[in-house]
Amino acid sequence: MEALTAHLSELGHGLVTTVELTVVTTVGAMLLGIVVATLRIAPVPLLRAIGTAYVEVFQNLPLLALLVLFVFALPTIGITFPLFTSAAIVIAVYEGAYLAEAIRAGINTVGVGQAEAARAIGLTFGQSLRHVILPQGLRAVIQPIGNICIALLMNTSLAAAVGVVELTQAANTVNLVEAQPIAVFTGAGLAYMLLALIIGQVTGLLERRLAIVR
């Protein structure tokens, strides 16, 4: 326990970085997910193919490999970003593929009659998507989106491998000093669990409040 209390500032800074990384990547992944899900259901075959390719590529590549490639390979061709920004971009792009599929599943729950009615009153594809289909589709998959956000939270720990000083990296640094891995990493694990529980509670509350009565 002393190993934790003696290094609360380092661990606290790592926890704050983890929360910031989670929030930024969640927003980015949601925006990407909505765009890609839209491409997946677009009436234009080329757009559907682009959306499908995006999902297939990023769902079948390991996140750690993408992080290493982005952080260590791109600088060799003159493309560099701060470590936090690099991690945020890669995780958002990666998780965006999973959120796209969840959102597309939500869109598929919207009755065909809803889209037909939207077209009947003169709405374009974009207008019907924005005003009719997406609002209902997103409300139908709040809990799956919450589960993906929890997975995203856990995946932020991989940013430690490329030098981002988030909670896992901070815990590892403290452990190198104190040599008490059980206490240090148990504390870090409990912090991750608390954050995951918060996400679960928030998404559960949203699901109950925004539930669609059919």
Side-chain angles (χ1 to χ4, degrees), residues 21 29 34 49 55 64 75 80 93 100 104-106 112 116 138 146 149 156 195 201 207 211:
L21 188 57
I34 291 171
V55 170
L64 183 57
T80 58
V93 169
R104 186 170 73 95
V112 176
E116 292 175 346
L138 288 172
C149 289
T156 60
L195 292 174
Q201 289 296 316
E207 184 179 42

Short mmCIF file of all heavy atoms in Angstrom, two decimals, residues 21 29 34 49 55 64 75 80 93 100 104-106 112 116 138 146 149 156 195 201 207 211:
data_model
loop_
_atom_site.label_atom_id
_atom_site.label_comp_id
_atom_site.label_asym_id
_atom_site.label_seq_id
_atom_site.Cartn_x
_atom_site.Cartn_y
_atom_site.Cartn_z
N LEU A 21 -7.31 10.31 -22.88
CA LEU A 21 -7.14 9.51 -24.09
C LEU A 21 -8.43 8.77 -24.43
O LEU A 21 -8.83 8.67 -25.60
CB LEU A 21 -5.99 8.52 -23.90
CG LEU A 21 -5.53 7.71 -25.12
CD1 LEU A 21 -5.13 8.63 -26.26
CD2 LEU A 21 -4.37 6.80 -24.73
N ALA A 29 -13.72 8.03 -32.53
CA ALA A 29 -14.21 6.75 -33.02
C ALA A 29 -15.70 6.80 -33.32
O ALA A 29 -16.16 6.19 -34.29
CB ALA A 29 -13.91 5.65 -31.99
N ILE A 34 -19.93 6.59 -37.29
CA ILE A 34 -21.15 7.07 -37.95
C ILE A 34 -20.91 7.24 -39.46
O ILE A 34 -21.73 6.84 -40.28
CB ILE A 34 -21.61 8.40 -37.32
CG1 ILE A 34 -22.14 8.15 -35.90
CG2 ILE A 34 -22.70 9.05 -38.17
CD1 ILE A 34 -22.42 9.41 -35.12
N ALA A 49 -18.42 -0.25 -50.78
CA ALA A 49 -17.17 -1.00 -50.86
C ALA A 49 -16.09 -0.35 -49.99
O ALA A 49 -15.33 -1.05 -49.31
CB ALA A 49 -16.70 -1.09 -52.31
N VAL A 55 -13.79 -1.47 -42.55
CA VAL A 55 -14.12 -2.36 -41.43
C VAL A 55 -13.28 -3.63 -41.48
O VAL A 55 -12.72 -4.06 -40.46
CB VAL A 55 -15.62 -2.70 -41.45
CG1 VAL A 55 -15.94 -3.80 -40.45
CG2 VAL A 55 -16.45 -1.45 -41.14
N LEU A 64 -1.81 -3.07 -31.50
CA LEU A 64 -0.42 -2.79 -31.12
C LEU A 64 0.46 -2.61 -32.35
O LEU A 64 1.30 -1.71 -32.39
CB LEU A 64 0.12 -3.91 -30.24
CG LEU A 64 1.55 -3.71 -29.71
CD1 LEU A 64 1.66 -2.42 -28.92
CD2 LEU A 64 1.97 -4.90 -28.85
N PRO A 75 7.63 8.43 -38.91
CA PRO A 75 8.69 9.46 -38.85
C PRO A 75 9.81 9.24 -39.86
O PRO A 75 10.49 10.19 -40.24
CB PRO A 75 9.22 9.33 -37.41
CG PRO A 75 8.03 8.84 -36.64
CD PRO A 75 7.34 7.89 -37.58
N THR A 80 5.34 13.14 -38.41
CA THR A 80 5.45 12.96 -36.96
C THR A 80 4.30 13.69 -36.25
O THR A 80 3.82 14.72 -36.71
CB THR A 80 6.78 13.53 -36.44
OG1 THR A 80 6.88 14.92 -36.78
CG2 THR A 80 7.96 12.77 -37.02
N VAL A 93 -9.19 5.38 -34.97
CA VAL A 93 -9.38 4.74 -36.28
C VAL A 93 -9.69 3.25 -36.11
O VAL A 93 -10.56 2.70 -36.79
CB VAL A 93 -8.13 4.95 -37.16
CG1 VAL A 93 -8.19 4.08 -38.41
CG2 VAL A 93 -8.00 6.42 -37.55
N ALA A 100 -18.63 1.29 -36.06
CA ALA A 100 -19.38 1.34 -37.32
C ALA A 100 -20.30 0.13 -37.45
O ALA A 100 -21.46 0.27 -37.86
CB ALA A 100 -18.41 1.40 -38.51
N ARG A 104 -24.28 0.24 -37.53
CA ARG A 104 -24.99 -0.35 -38.67
C ARG A 104 -26.03 -1.36 -38.21
O ARG A 104 -27.14 -1.44 -38.77
CB ARG A 104 -23.99 -1.04 -39.62
CG ARG A 104 -24.62 -1.56 -40.91
CD ARG A 104 -23.55 -1.99 -41.89
NE ARG A 104 -22.92 -3.22 -41.49
CZ ARG A 104 -23.26 -4.43 -41.93
NH1 ARG A 104 -24.26 -4.57 -42.80
NH2 ARG A 104 -22.61 -5.50 -41.53
N ALA A 105 -25.69 -2.12 -37.16
CA ALA A 105 -26.66 -3.06 -36.60
C ALA A 105 -27.87 -2.30 -36.06
O ALA A 105 -29.01 -2.76 -36.20
CB ALA A 105 -26.01 -3.89 -35.50
N GLY A 106 -27.63 -1.16 -35.43
CA GLY A 106 -28.73 -0.34 -34.94
C GLY A 106 -29.60 0.18 -36.06
O GLY A 106 -30.83 0.19 -35.98
N VAL A 112 -38.12 -0.81 -42.41
CA VAL A 112 -38.02 -0.31 -43.78
C VAL A 112 -39.07 0.76 -44.04
O VAL A 112 -38.85 1.72 -44.78
CB VAL A 112 -38.19 -1.48 -44.78
CG1 VAL A 112 -38.19 -0.97 -46.22
CG2 VAL A 112 -37.09 -2.51 -44.59
N GLU A 116 -39.02 4.44 -46.07
CA GLU A 116 -39.95 4.67 -47.18
C GLU A 116 -40.83 5.88 -46.90
O GLU A 116 -41.12 6.68 -47.80
CB GLU A 116 -40.81 3.42 -47.39
CG GLU A 116 -40.01 2.24 -47.93
CD GLU A 116 -40.85 0.97 -48.02
OE1 GLU A 116 -41.96 0.95 -47.42
OE2 GLU A 116 -40.40 0.02 -48.68
N LEU A 138 -29.18 4.67 -33.32
CA LEU A 138 -28.25 4.87 -32.22
C LEU A 138 -28.90 4.52 -30.88
O LEU A 138 -28.25 3.93 -30.00
CB LEU A 138 -27.75 6.32 -32.20
CG LEU A 138 -26.77 6.71 -33.32
CD1 LEU A 138 -26.51 8.21 -33.31
CD2 LEU A 138 -25.47 5.95 -33.18
N GLY A 146 -21.62 1.13 -25.51
CA GLY A 146 -20.96 1.22 -24.20
C GLY A 146 -19.94 0.12 -24.01
O GLY A 146 -18.84 0.36 -23.47
N CYS A 149 -16.91 1.00 -25.89
CA CYS A 149 -16.18 2.07 -25.19
C CYS A 149 -15.36 1.51 -24.02
O CYS A 149 -14.26 2.00 -23.74
CB CYS A 149 -17.16 3.13 -24.69
SG CYS A 149 -17.89 4.13 -26.00
N THR A 156 -6.50 1.52 -24.37
CA THR A 156 -5.61 2.67 -24.19
C THR A 156 -4.33 2.26 -23.46
O THR A 156 -3.32 2.95 -23.56
CB THR A 156 -6.29 3.81 -23.41
OG1 THR A 156 -6.68 3.35 -22.11
CG2 THR A 156 -7.50 4.34 -24.15
N LEU A 195 -13.32 2.84 -13.79
CA LEU A 195 -13.67 3.59 -14.99
C LEU A 195 -14.65 2.80 -15.87
O LEU A 195 -15.60 3.36 -16.42
CB LEU A 195 -12.41 3.92 -15.79
CG LEU A 195 -11.44 4.93 -15.15
CD1 LEU A 195 -10.17 5.05 -15.98
CD2 LEU A 195 -12.11 6.29 -15.00
N GLN A 201 -22.41 2.18 -16.16
CA GLN A 201 -23.55 2.82 -15.50
C GLN A 201 -24.13 3.93 -16.36
O GLN A 201 -25.35 4.08 -16.46
CB GLN A 201 -23.11 3.38 -14.14
CG GLN A 201 -22.81 2.33 -13.09
CD GLN A 201 -24.06 1.52 -12.72
OE1 GLN A 201 -25.13 2.07 -12.53
NE2 GLN A 201 -23.90 0.21 -12.62
N GLU A 207 -29.51 4.10 -21.87
CA GLU A 207 -30.35 3.10 -22.53
C GLU A 207 -31.76 3.12 -21.96
O GLU A 207 -32.75 3.03 -22.70
CB GLU A 207 -29.73 1.71 -22.37
CG GLU A 207 -30.49 0.62 -23.11
CD GLU A 207 -29.84 -0.74 -22.93
OE1 GLU A 207 -29.43 -1.05 -21.80
OE2 GLU A 207 -29.77 -1.49 -23.92
N ALA A 211 -34.80 4.52 -24.34
CA ALA A 211 -35.36 3.29 -24.90
C ALA A 211 -36.51 3.59 -25.84
O ALA A 211 -37.34 4.48 -25.57
CB ALA A 211 -35.83 2.36 -23.78
#
